[in-house]
């Protein structure tokens, strides 16, 4: 089973820095799960997700809405990294007070430590910040190195799998005497990344069966043609035709005598045949274009872990390219505005090229005169 993955889109000041992707651990064996009441837990199967993972994932998606206590959105979006210690860790998640003294879990209060067995033995680990045993809320920290002195004191529930260079850039932002970043480091967007799954075959068969039934109901006048039965009870393929009257045969002979009229009839018939054929082709081609025999869009194919990682990398590259284009447009627009302002200030005189050739703008000169 694939582990849950969430992301942070980070901005340093007004500039987008990039995306960090976390993988959340769900292989541990916690003994509790959240209930509707604050800190009310019941023992259940040991394979369920731990409390820290469930709270962090829900705060990334914002699915829990407003908090009944603080009446603030239970959402990491637009919160800040309020503490940065180079060579140690980055801390954030305080979306209520934004200074490290607040924070709120989805359970309405602090929740207990569940699994303290994972060591803080590398960089890029995602851990719960606390004020002592069993005081976890929404605050978290990302390690910048191994921290053996914190083993057994903090719950490790995830790790950075993509964008650790963004974490290093965040750690390089200058801080004040209280370890607060001088330039705001903001989580501009966050959410969960979902693995594309294939629709089960049983659902596809049920859908095709229901569509065939609906087609029959939609066209009840279309009845099957049955071969005619012979008097002795056996079915015969031949149809009995009544003899044609003599007047009709006479008119046919007259028509055959007029070649011009015959030519006109054959032209009309070929035209009608072409039109009928094109309609038939269009009917046969349209389901193929739509990707399924009933004209529905094709179902998404199942996605492996490697395809999932490749898709994430492709989306990240597209997002970086779009951000670069926006930044280039902004810089170009700013330079153009500065040039226009300088030209207006100098009375329409503009210097162009290396030799600083003087250029008088006729429009501005006309306005001055």
């Amino acid at each position: 089973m694939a582990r849950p993955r969430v992301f942070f889109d980070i901005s340093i000041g007004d500039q987008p820095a990039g995306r960090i992707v976390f993988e959340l651990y769900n292989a541990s064996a916690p003994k509790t799960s959240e209930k509707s009441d604050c800190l009310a837990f019941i023992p259940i199967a040991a394979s369920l997700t731990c409390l820290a993972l469930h709270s962090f994932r829900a705060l990334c998606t914002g699915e829990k809405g407003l908090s009944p206590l603080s009446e603030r959105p239970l959402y990491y979006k637009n919160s800040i990294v309020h503490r940065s210690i180079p060579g140690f860790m980055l801390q954030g998640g305080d979306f209520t007070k934004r200074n490290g003294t607040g924070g709120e879990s989805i359970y309405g209060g602090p929740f207990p430590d569940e699994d303290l067995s994972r060591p803080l033995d590398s960089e890029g680990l995602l851990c719960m910040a606390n004020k002592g045993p069993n005081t976890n809320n929404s605050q978290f920290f990302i390690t910048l190195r191994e921290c053996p002195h914190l083993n057994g004191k903090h719950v490790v529930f995830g790790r950075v799998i993509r964008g650790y260079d963004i974490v290093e850039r965040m750690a390089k932002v200058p801080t004040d005497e209280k370890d607060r970043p001088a330039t705001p480091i903001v989580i501009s967007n966050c959410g969960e990344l979902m693995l594309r799954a294939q629709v089960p075959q049983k659902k596809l068969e049920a859908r095709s069966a229901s569509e065939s039934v609906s087609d029959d109901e939609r066209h009840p006048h279309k009845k099957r043609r049955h071969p005619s039965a012979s008097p002795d009870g056996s079915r015969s393929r031949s149809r009995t035709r009544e003899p044609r009257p003599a007047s009709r045969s006479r008119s046919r002979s007259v028509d055959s005598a007029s070649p011009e009229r015959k030519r006109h009839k054959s032209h009309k018939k070929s035209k009608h045949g072409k039109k009928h054929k094109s309609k038939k082709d269009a009917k046969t081609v349209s389901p193929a274009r739509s990707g399924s025999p009933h004209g529905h869009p094709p179902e998404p194919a199942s996605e492996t872990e490697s395809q999932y990682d490749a898709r994430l990398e492709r989306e990240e590259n597209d997002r970086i390219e779009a951000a670069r284009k926006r930044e280039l447009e902004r810089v170009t627009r700013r330079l153009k505005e500065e040039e226009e302002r300088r030209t207006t200030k100098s009375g329409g005189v503009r210097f162009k090229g290396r030799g600083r050739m003087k250029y008088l703008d006729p429009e501005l000169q006309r306005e001055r005169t």
Side-chain angles (χ1 to χ4, degrees):
M1 182 177 139
R3 288 173 170 175
R5 294 185 181 185
V6 295
F7 69 91
F8 284 169
D9 286 338
I10 301 295
S11 296
I12 300 175
D14 296 331
Q15 306 301 319
R19 173 171 289 187
I20 305 171
V21 179
F22 301 98
E23 182 181 67
L24 307 182
Y25 299 144
N26 57 358
S28 57
K31 304 295 183 186
T32 57
S33 175
E34 33 98 16
K35 216 182 173 188
S36 58
D37 299 334
C38 302
L39 294 179
F41 306 104
I42 54 173
I44 57 167
S47 60
L48 290 179
T49 311
C50 67
L51 297 177
L53 182 152
H54 188 79
S55 179
F56 187 83
R57 188 200 61 78
L59 292 173
C60 285
T61 61
E63 63 192 49
K64 298 297 181 179
L66 290 177
S67 163
L69 300 179
S70 62
E71 296 183 353
R72 290 175 179 271
L74 293 167
Y75 201 10
Y76 282 138
K77 186 174 180 179
N78 297 325
S79 65
I80 63 169
V81 173
H82 60 268
R83 191 180 180 201
S84 173
I85 304 177
F88 178 34
M89 61 89 180
L90 297 169
Q91 186 172 339
D94 183 2
F95 54 82
T96 57
K97 296 185 179 179
R98 300 167 71 90
N99 59 6
T101 62
E104 187 178 348
S105 73
I106 63 169
Y107 312 115
F111 59 91
D113 302 321
E114 283 198 302
D115 184 9
L116 297 172
S117 61
R118 291 185 186 272
L120 284 75
D121 56 357
S122 68
E123 60 188 18
L125 294 177
L126 183 62
C127 315
M128 291 305 300
N130 58 41
K131 300 173 184 176
N134 302 321
T135 57
N136 301 291
N137 55 18
S138 61
Q139 291 193 45
F140 61 89
F141 66 91
I142 304 168
T143 60
L144 301 176
R145 61 171 174 85
E146 58 180 23
C147 309
H149 61 287
L150 298 180
N151 289 345
K153 297 178 181 178
H154 296 270
V155 176
V156 182
F157 64 96
R159 65 188 179 98
V160 177
I161 60 169
R162 198 181 301 279
Y164 188 73
D165 56 326
I166 310 300
V167 176
E168 291 175 335
R169 282 181 59 190
M170 293 160 62
K172 290 177 182 176
V173 175
T175 56
D176 60 11
E177 66 278 358
K178 292 185 178 180
D179 299 322
R180 293 177 299 198
T183 305
I185 302 173
V186 183
I187 302 171
S188 57
N189 193 21
C190 54
E192 184 176 12
L193 299 169
M194 304 298 292
L195 187 69
R196 287 177 184 162
Q198 190 175 10
V199 178
Q201 191 65 25
K202 288 182 180 179
K203 287 187 179 180
L204 288 175
E205 290 173 359
R207 184 184 292 177
S208 62
S210 63
E211 283 170 356
S212 62
V213 169
S214 63
D215 286 344
D216 293 341
E217 290 174 356
R218 203 180 296 123
H219 306 290
H221 59 280
K222 289 186 179 179
K223 295 180 180 179
R224 295 180 180 176
R225 294 180 179 177
H226 297 286
S228 57
S230 59
D232 57 350
S234 62
R235 294 179 182 272
S236 63
R237 291 179 180 272
S238 61
R239 293 183 181 180
T240 56
R241 295 183 180 178
E242 296 178 3
R244 293 177 181 172
S247 61
R248 189 159 183 180
S249 64
R250 275 201 303 273
S251 65
R252 279 187 77 177
S253 64
V254 171
D255 288 343
S256 61
S258 57
E260 192 173 333
R261 191 168 177 184
K262 191 173 183 180
R263 216 172 23 247
H264 177 68
K265 272 191 173 184
S266 65
H267 176 68
K268 199 171 181 182
K269 194 173 182 182
S270 64
K271 198 173 180 182
H272 177 70
K274 282 181 184 176
K275 198 180 289 183
H276 182 68
K277 192 175 181 182
S278 65
K279 280 183 182 178
K280 199 172 183 182
D281 292 344
K283 280 183 181 178
T284 56
V285 167
S286 59
R289 279 182 184 168
S290 61
S292 69
H294 298 285
H296 292 285
E299 299 295 340
S302 58
E303 195 175 35
T304 61
E305 287 284 341
S306 59
Q307 290 172 341
Y308 183 35
D309 291 336
R311 179 168 63 85
L312 289 184
E313 189 170 357
R314 194 166 55 249
E315 290 173 356
E316 176 69 8
N317 291 335
D318 293 343
R319 194 185 61 78
I320 290 171
E321 182 65 22
R324 191 185 66 80
K325 284 182 180 177
R326 284 196 302 271
E327 179 65 16
L328 189 61
E329 289 172 2
R330 189 184 68 80
V331 171
T332 307
R333 192 166 54 249
R334 183 170 57 80
L335 291 174
K336 192 175 178 182
E337 289 172 359
E338 287 179 2
E339 182 69 25
E340 289 176 358
R341 194 162 52 248
R342 270 200 306 270
T343 305
T344 308
K345 195 174 180 181
S346 61
V349 178
R350 203 166 29 156
F351 295 97
K352 298 179 70 177
R354 274 193 206 165
R356 308 289 288 170
M357 295 169 58
K358 194 173 184 180
Y359 171 74
L360 297 176
D361 193 339
E363 294 287 333
L364 292 175
Q365 290 294 321
R366 195 180 299 119
E367 287 178 6
R368 289 185 70 188
T369 56

